[in-house]
Amino acid sequence: MTCYDCVLEDRTGTPAIGVCARCGLAACQNHARVLTSLISQVNGMGLSTGPVPARRFVCTACHTAETAY
Ligand SMILES: [Zn+2]
Ligand SMILES: [Zn+2]
């Protein structure tokens, strides 16, 4: 797969390292952010958060949109 943002910028076929968790487009290392997020689930009376953070891969466009507000 080819990075979508690289295709838009200079039309070169940079190989993508992953697929954005939000928009589903492929992105390379320069056009993506790997975030960590805690997994929480309803547990009895409330919400419990797991001890191990999960990994989340998002492209820069979605990362900017998520942190813009
Ligand atoms: Zn790229
Ligand atoms: Zn995205």
Side-chain angles (χ1 to χ4, degrees), residues 5 19-27 31 57-63 66:
D5 282 319
V19 173
C20 175
R22 179 171 286 273
C23 69
L25 284 172
H31 287 119
F57 184 89
V58 290
C59 71
T60 47
C62 289
H63 185 255
E66 286 178 0

Side-chain angles (χ1 to χ4, degrees), residues 3 5-6 14 28 30-31:
C3 172
D5 282 319
C6 281
T14 307
C28 73
N30 291 331
H31 287 119

